[in-house]
Amino acid sequence: MPFDHQPFLKQLTQRPGVYQMMGEDGAVLYVGKAKNLRKRVASYFRKTGLSPKTAALVGRIAHIDVTVTQTEIEALLLEQNLIKQNRPPFNILLRDDKSYPYIFLSDRDEFPRLAFHRGSKRQGGSYFGPFPSVQAVRESMSFLQKTFRVRQCEDSFFRNRSRPCLQYQIKRCTAPCVDLISAEDYQRDVRHTRMFLEGKSDGLMSEIEADMDKAAQQLAFEEAAHFRDQIVALRTIQAEQVVESGNGQIDVMAAALEGELGCVHVLYIRQGRILGSRSFYPKVPLAASESDLLADFLPQYYLREGARGDFPKEVITSHKLLESELIAAAISEVAGFRVNLKQGGRSTRAQWVQLAQRTASQNLNGRIASRQNIQQRLSALQTLLGLESPPERLECFDISHSSGESTVASCVVFDDNGPLKSDYRRMNIRDVTAGDDYAAMEQALVRRYTRIQKESGRLPDVLLVDGGKGQMRRAIEVLDELGVMGVLVVGVAKGRTRKAGFETLLLSKGDHEVVLDTQSSALLLIQQIRDEAHRFAITGHRQSRDRKRRTSTLEGIEGVGPKRRRELLRFFGGVREVERASVAELMRVPGISRKVAETIYSTLHNG
């Protein structure tokens, strides 16, 4: 039954608030806010003028819930919380809850440390950022390390040095750990680092030039040459960027829209310099223009929990927003200070907007081209496998281990947009014979599809198994035992040469082998998925193996804590010697009784 909107609208208030449109199953389809709830909700039910996307939304509405608020700003803040909580399919969704990285400069140490930081700012010191990516932080820290040589090592490493480390040898540190630089000179380097990070380039340049002249007058030519190199490095990095005078804390946002695909490119301007940039590709189910896209994106971006403390003083957009004052007021309320929202600009700001707009368009076009390529490959795979329609979901499994050690299974998922990394899964394989790939694959498939059936998850249209006939048949047996129907199993076996492009496809449908042309679009897609599964499995295996090798065999023995482990290693000199020791020898260690010695011996020799 279609939603009967007329009686609902008659009793609906005209105050500000939030409305949630629900489907028949009770799931939230769309969350919106309004200054006048009756007027806004009524606009969805007019007889003409609705876009096809909006009409599709209205056709699925079973009922509407509303929450009345005191002000429109409260409605906007509540809307963002509900979107984050329910993730409705017809709202713009920003899948980015990670905190942004900073550069941290300690201020409580005699020789302060420069470090990468992400997370809560509890430690005393100065935080510079936010940076758009880890790579941007690394590039900035590398420049600072080469130019001002402030230490970046951990405090534990710094306090236990008896001679300079490699960083001193390659002129990336002045070795304050062994007093090869005075505290006064080191503080000067720290001050210069701080001035650079705060954007005080002119004052920094003048101070270094004065230091260079002073050193030259004192005939300290080597020191003067060092200051000269700093000046050259600073001028070089300034010449590479479009710089605005002053201490601008600005985010520049430009949008590009093509059908249901959109891109928002953000330039991060700090202290008048372009600190970095980042592109976002939010879902845009109902956006009709770039202005709509930005109007929905900005609240998602700035009002989410992870944005707290990362607010600019000003946001410049490529397109004019109808509710710019409301959005700016809501951001200012969360930020705790006034945040201005403007459209366009002049001079340097106009260059920034043009740069962001050009990048957004270029990245969106690249994404569209990539998506079209995926669609073409899926169509070729449909033809190859004789399917009625292109597969919408493909899963591929792979097994990785080192001679049976730390066996890990990977499952990667592709849909019509390419890799669906949120659905990737890894599984640590246990209780199987070392090196038995058949048993490992069976365990992975059982765990994966048992869970999908219990949670009513989505099954793939095609299941790719990296292996020959044995692996494929084992996969078919597992699916039959679990009662999984409608999944086509395809084995991907290496050819005789074991080179890429010469794979043999083993089809469960028809039980025959297919060798494709090396340029086949279907084969290229299969290779892409198989290689991604292999990469994902190897990464997980290496992490598991490294964790295991970093763990002492003495850990986990009942009655043997850190103190007794330390005494054992100190007495015998290493784990190997502990393993060779008898019960009587173990009892000679201080704090080890006969009972504990017998427990250690039995655990090490029976495990």
Side-chain angles (χ1 to χ4, degrees):
M1 293 290 294
F3 177 67
D4 189 359
H5 62 278
Q6 292 182 352
F8 177 80
L9 292 174
K10 286 180 180 179
Q11 56 80 37
L12 188 58
T13 180
Q14 298 188 50
R15 294 180 61 184
V18 172
Y19 55 92
Q20 299 182 72
M21 296 176 171
M22 312 286 194
E24 290 184 359
D25 57 356
V28 181
L29 299 174
Y30 181 76
V31 177
K33 62 100 181 76
K35 185 177 182 179
N36 183 320
L37 277 169
R38 182 190 297 175
K39 185 176 180 180
R40 181 70 184 98
V41 175
S43 68
Y44 288 93
F45 298 99
R46 59 180 185 264
K47 295 182 178 179
T48 59
L50 291 181
S51 69
K53 300 176 186 177
T54 306
L57 166 63
V58 173
R60 293 175 59 182
I61 296 174
H63 66 279
I64 300 176
D65 286 348
V66 299
T67 303
V68 180
T69 60
Q70 294 293 328
T71 65
E72 196 176 1
I73 292 179
E74 288 182 7
L76 179 57
L77 296 174
L78 176 59
E79 176 196 35
Q80 299 310 312
N81 289 333
L82 291 173
I83 289 174
K84 182 178 180 180
Q85 178 181 340
N86 297 298
R87 307 198 72 80
F90 283 88
N91 281 99
I92 281 185
L93 298 180
L94 174 59
R95 301 178 182 275
D96 181 61
D97 291 329
K98 293 188 296 183
S99 60
Y100 284 80
Y102 286 76
I103 288 178
F104 169 71
L105 182 62
S106 63
D107 59 4
R108 297 181 180 177
D109 304 316
E110 181 183 3
F111 296 102
R113 171 184 177 233
L114 199 67
F116 170 91
H117 177 83
R118 171 176 269 158
S120 59
K121 305 180 184 68
R122 297 177 181 175
Q123 192 173 355
S126 301
Y127 296 85
F128 302 93
F131 287 78
S133 65
V134 173
Q135 184 60 32
V137 175
R138 288 174 178 163
E139 290 174 357
S140 296
M141 290 186 66
S142 177
F143 169 79
L144 292 169
Q145 191 177 39
K146 289 186 289 186
T147 307
F148 300 116
R149 304 185 190 178
V150 173
R151 74 176 181 96
Q152 298 184 13
C153 58
E154 295 285 347
D155 290 338
S156 58
F157 182 84
F158 174 78
R159 295 189 187 109
N160 292 286
R161 295 299 301 174
S162 58
R163 56 191 177 89
C165 67
L166 178 63
Q167 296 300 316
Y168 173 78
Q169 305 295 336
I170 62 175
K171 300 186 184 300
R172 297 292 184 271
C173 182
T174 50
C177 53
V178 290
D179 299 323
L180 293 186
I181 184 174
S182 67
E184 181 182 355
D185 288 342
Y186 189 83
Q187 287 298 331
R188 179 196 61 209
D189 291 336
V190 171
R191 186 176 68 256
H192 290 169
T193 299
R194 184 184 297 276
M195 292 176 70
F196 175 82
L197 290 170
E198 291 176 347
K200 300 176 181 178
S201 301
D202 295 337
L204 174 60
M205 197 77 74
S206 299
E207 189 171 320
I208 296 177
E209 287 174 351
D211 290 339
M212 182 180 66
D213 293 339
K214 182 179 179 181
Q217 290 173 7
Q218 296 175 350
L219 304 183
F221 298 117
E222 186 173 345
E223 186 178 3
H226 172 64
F227 290 130
R228 177 204 61 204
D229 293 341
Q230 288 183 339
I231 293 171
V232 170
L234 288 169
R235 285 178 175 163
T236 300
I237 199 169
Q238 285 181 340
E240 292 174 351
Q241 301 198 38
V242 178
V243 180
E244 181 186 61
S245 59
N247 296 320
Q249 306 284 332
I250 304 170
D251 284 355
V252 179
M253 292 197 172
L257 187 64
E258 192 71 41
E260 295 185 355
L261 297 179
C263 174
V264 177
H265 189 74
V266 186
L267 292 180
Y268 301 88
I269 315 297
R270 298 296 182 267
Q271 288 83 41
R273 297 186 299 114
I274 299 179
L275 200 63
S277 64
R278 189 171 181 181
S279 287
F280 298 88
Y281 303 93
K283 292 185 176 180
V284 289
L286 300 180
S289 65
E290 286 81 359
S291 295
D292 292 342
L293 174 55
L294 287 171
D296 288 340
F297 178 84
L298 261 70
Q300 282 261 326
Y301 184 73
Y302 288 112
L303 303 183
R304 71 193 196 281
E305 184 178 351
R308 295 183 184 274
D310 298 342
F311 298 94
K313 298 288 182 63
E314 189 175 343
V315 179
I316 302 175
T317 61
S318 59
H319 296 77
K320 188 175 181 179
L321 309 185
L322 294 177
E323 297 182 325
S324 59
E325 293 183 3
L326 171 64
I327 296 173
I331 297 173
S332 299
E333 182 171 314
V334 176
F337 56 83
R338 181 175 176 79
V339 177
N340 294 314
L341 181 57
K342 300 179 180 179
Q343 186 262 322
R346 297 180 180 179
S347 186
T348 304
R349 299 185 176 207
Q351 294 181 44
W352 287 337
V353 173
Q354 291 173 6
L355 174 61
Q357 184 69 71
R358 189 163 56 246
T359 306
S361 299
Q362 182 176 348
N363 288 350
L364 180 59
N365 290 334
R367 195 173 184 87
I368 291 173
S370 175
R371 191 180 185 189
Q372 290 174 343
N373 190 27
I374 287 288
Q375 296 289 348
Q376 178 186 359
R377 293 182 176 184
L378 287 172
S379 297
L381 187 61
Q382 172 196 357
T383 303
L384 170 67
L385 302 179
L387 302 176
E388 295 181 358
S389 60
E392 296 180 356
R393 185 181 178 94
L394 302 96
E395 294 187 2
C396 181
F397 283 77
D398 192 22
I399 305 294
S400 180
H401 58 79
S402 295
S403 301
E405 178 190 5
S406 300
T407 304
V408 172
S410 72
C411 172
V412 302
V413 182
F414 274 54
D415 62 8
D416 55 2
N417 289 312
L420 187 60
K421 295 192 176 183
S422 61
D423 285 7
Y424 281 19
R425 294 293 182 271
R426 285 197 190 103
M427 288 159 273
N428 293 317
I429 304 300
R430 299 183 177 91
D431 303 324
V432 300
T433 304
D436 188 347
D437 287 355
Y438 291 100
M441 180 66 72
E442 180 178 350
Q443 184 181 128
L445 291 169
V446 168
R447 288 166 59 181
R448 169 70 171 172
Y449 294 112
T450 299
R451 182 169 184 175
I452 285 180
Q453 287 184 312
K454 285 182 179 179
E455 298 178 357
S456 299
R458 186 175 178 184
L459 290 168
D461 300 309
V462 177
L463 169 60
L464 299 172
V465 179
D466 187 18
K469 289 184 178 180
Q471 293 280 34
M472 185 188 73
R473 288 171 180 167
R474 185 66 63 92
I476 295 172
E477 291 171 2
V478 169
L479 296 184
D480 289 343
E481 290 174 5
L482 296 176
V484 176
M485 308 296 292
V487 177
L488 177 62
V489 181
V490 178
V492 185
K494 296 181 176 65
R496 294 181 179 178
T497 61
R498 303 185 67 81
K499 293 182 179 179
F502 295 91
E503 290 86 355
T504 298
L505 302 186
L506 310 171
L507 308 184
S508 59
K509 185 178 181 180
D511 193 23
H512 63 279
E513 300 180 3
V514 176
V515 179
L516 297 177
D517 182 84
T518 56
Q519 300 301 317
S520 166
S521 296
L523 179 60
L524 293 175
L525 176 60
I526 291 172
Q527 287 175 343
Q528 181 185 1
I529 300 173
R530 189 270 317 274
D531 292 345
E532 179 70 355
H534 190 55
R535 178 201 65 78
F536 196 56
I538 286 178
T539 302
H541 160 66
R542 287 174 177 168
Q543 292 173 351
S544 176
R545 181 192 62 193
D546 292 345
R547 281 195 301 270
K548 184 177 180 181
R549 291 180 179 178
R550 284 196 299 266
T551 302
S552 171
T553 55
L554 300 179
E555 294 185 24
I557 299 178
E558 184 179 356
V560 180
K563 185 175 181 179
R564 282 177 171 168
R565 285 200 300 270
R566 185 166 59 251
E567 291 297 334
L568 285 165
L569 294 173
R570 184 179 296 170
F571 187 90
F572 289 104
V575 176
R576 292 263 180 104
E577 286 69 25
V578 177
E579 292 173 346
R580 295 180 184 137
S582 64
V583 173
E585 290 172 327
L586 290 169
M587 290 173 59
R588 294 169 54 195
V589 179
I592 302 296
S593 64
R594 172 175 288 278
K595 182 179 179 180
V596 174
E598 289 175 348
T599 301
I600 295 171
Y601 186 87
S602 62
T603 301
L604 294 178
H605 291 81
N606 297 328

